[in-house]
DNA sequence: TAGATTGTTAATCGATTAACAATC
DNA sequence: TAGATTGTTAATCGATTAACAATC
């Protein structure tokens, strides 16, 4: 495929473009330009054109990009035409919130399974999901073929659970635990620690 | 100050270093090296030394870095010696989870105030916080001097609430809503949209 | 046609890495 | 002393921007 040599920094911008295009589409806009899209997401028009040109010629001189068409292309590139089943590990407040989150709709993901290691939670329900024991994690995830997980366990357990996820064949982990994870190559991690986000901003404050 | 010309990409790595150092400290380790720290966070030793050297000489040849000392320096640099009061806007599942989150402890933040625009929620309690009306947001935040907010409202309301936060003097917004926000210069936003995180990984999957 | 905007090239700018003298 | 590791320099590598011919 055209996969392996496109810089990760470009890939990381595509979901932002996709989200903004969806937003425009919801407002019944038909076309946009690199200029307009760039203004919306805070990225230069030149960069947007350069990024998109890695994957094909999606625009027309003079008129710009057809929004519906570009959305389809970005969904194909990011492989979110399909819907990915996701496992949520850790049914604390954060895991609970993710299990109930409505924002995955139409963005390529669906929570399919939830886990916790607390015996008093296992077997109870969150939304429509029966909480499974972390002891069954490897078997259940292997069996279901799930490749994507969201990790919401305490920091102290996060690496151990990660090792289980890797063993189960998970290839993408969205990590809410406040700790750096080590994973083998071929497995990806994205970090969403709120304190890290906040500390990236306080530096700039007087 | 030594502030204004250090690249943001360096600043964005410092909280990662700080988190890892705290972790080492919790295990009663006294010193570390750029090598060891780098292995832990997945960053080259050279880059860590280069990053830190922007702010001073914190290490010793032959022995590396004293962990406690380096933690103190990073906390000063990132301005998290002090504790920042934070407002949480939107008491849905996510806002609820953040209001109860224990992970801000010792990382420089404390939830101080929570808001929702739903009249049936206003006045009720989440943890020890009485939910305030979004109508009082500007007044309350101005009065309290809060400079940091976490935004957990639906996408459709996020820009309007952001404008209120800016009006109230907030300078740092951690945005959980799935939308790009526009803010004046001098105000910073960090994005934590879970779908974006997931879509940044699916590209690499077969 | 005239105006607008793409895709792409070359130039610029910035970030990372390798290497090593200094020194604990 | 011998070994280890820093802080820094110069070289390399990569990303962004400006500019414009092509063309809708």
């Amino acid at each position: 495929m055209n996969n392996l040599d496109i810089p990760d920094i470009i890939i990381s911008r595509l979901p932002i473009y996709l989200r903004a295009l969806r937003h425009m589409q919801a407002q019944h806009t038909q076309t946009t330009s690199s200029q307009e899209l760039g203004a919306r997401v805070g990225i230069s028009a030149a960069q947007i054109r350069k990024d998109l040109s890695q994957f094909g010629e999606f625009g027309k001189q003079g008129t710009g990009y057809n929004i519906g068409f570009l959305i389809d292309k970005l969904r194909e590139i990011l492989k979110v035409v399909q819907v990915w089943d996701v496992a949520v590990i850790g049914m604390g407040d954060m895991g609970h919130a993710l299990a109930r989150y409505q924002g995955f709709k139409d963005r390529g993901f669906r929570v399919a399974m939830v886990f916790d290691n607390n015996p008093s939670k296992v077997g109870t329900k969150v939304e429509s999901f029966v909480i499974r024991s972390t002891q069954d994690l490897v078997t259940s995830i292997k069996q279901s073929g799930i490749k994507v997980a969201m990790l919401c366990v305490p920091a102290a357990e996060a690496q151990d659970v990660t090792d289980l996820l890797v063993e189960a064949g998970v290839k993408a982990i969205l990590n809410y635990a406040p700790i750096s994870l080590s994973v083998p190559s071929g497995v990806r991690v994205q970090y969403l620690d709120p304190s890290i986000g906040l500390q990236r901003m306080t530096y700039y404050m007087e």
Side-chain angles (χ1 to χ4, degrees), chain A residues 3 9 20 41 53 57 82 86 88 102 127 150 169 182 192:
Chain A
N3 251 10
I9 194 158
V41 300
S53 74
E57 309 194 353
Q82 60 192 287
V86 179
V88 185
Q102 295 304 302
E127 279 293 281
M150 302 193 286
S182 99
L192 293 184

Side-chain angles (χ1 to χ4, degrees), chain A:
Chain A
M1 292 285 299
N2 55 7
N3 251 10
L4 291 163
D5 49 354
I6 292 173
D8 185 61
I9 194 158
I10 292 184
I11 303 306
S12 76
R13 283 191 291 260
L14 302 183
I16 310 281
Y17 302 160
L18 177 56
R19 186 175 64 181
L21 289 164
R22 290 268 200 177
H23 192 242
M24 293 175 181
Q25 191 183 47
Q27 294 169 335
H28 307 292
T29 319
Q30 299 289 322
T31 59
T32 189
S33 62
S34 56
Q35 181 84 61
E36 186 185 42
L37 179 57
R40 198 155 209 138
V41 300
I43 290 176
S44 79
Q47 183 152 84
I48 288 177
R49 294 201 301 278
K50 193 100 199 292
D51 287 353
L52 295 177
S53 74
Q54 304 288 319
F55 304 95
E57 309 194 353
F58 302 143
K60 278 204 180 67
Q61 286 101 326
T63 56
Y65 301 91
N66 177 287
I67 290 176
F69 178 78
L70 188 50
I71 286 174
D72 288 345
K73 287 298 174 187
L74 286 173
R75 292 181 64 203
E76 281 170 30
I77 293 163
L78 292 171
K79 303 201 182 74
V80 288
V81 176
Q82 60 192 287
V83 175
W84 295 86
D85 279 346
V86 179
V88 185
I89 327 298
M91 281 295 111
D93 287 319
M94 191 59 70
H96 204 269
L98 287 171
R100 293 164 46 84
Y101 186 58
Q102 295 304 302
F104 295 126
K105 276 216 177 70
D106 296 318
R107 299 188 67 189
F109 307 97
R110 171 176 61 193
V111 174
M113 220 176 257
V114 307
F115 294 88
D116 201 283
N117 69 353
N118 183 338
S120 74
K121 287 188 183 177
V122 171
T124 66
K125 278 184 126 184
V126 167
E127 279 293 281
S128 58
F129 310 106
V130 176
I131 300 178
R132 304 183 185 215
S133 168
T134 310
Q135 290 182 351
D136 306 330
L137 189 151
V138 175
T139 321
S140 300
I141 290 185
K142 259 190 186 159
Q143 202 161 45
S144 64
I146 287 177
K147 299 293 173 204
V148 182
M150 302 193 286
L151 188 57
C152 310
V153 304
E157 300 164 27
Q159 184 61 59
D160 285 348
V161 174
T162 296
D163 295 344
L164 295 178
L165 290 170
V166 169
E167 189 189 338
V170 164
K171 300 296 181 196
I173 299 171
L174 193 68
N175 179 30
Y176 284 83
I179 187 175
S180 291
L181 299 175
S182 99
V183 292
S185 72
V187 177
R188 308 219 144 232
V189 181
Q190 286 279 316
Y191 294 89
L192 293 184
D193 179 342
S195 298
I196 297 279
L198 293 172
Q199 289 179 350
R200 283 175 173 164
M201 300 190 282
T202 46
Y203 169 81
Y204 296 96
M205 298 169 74
E206 328 78 62

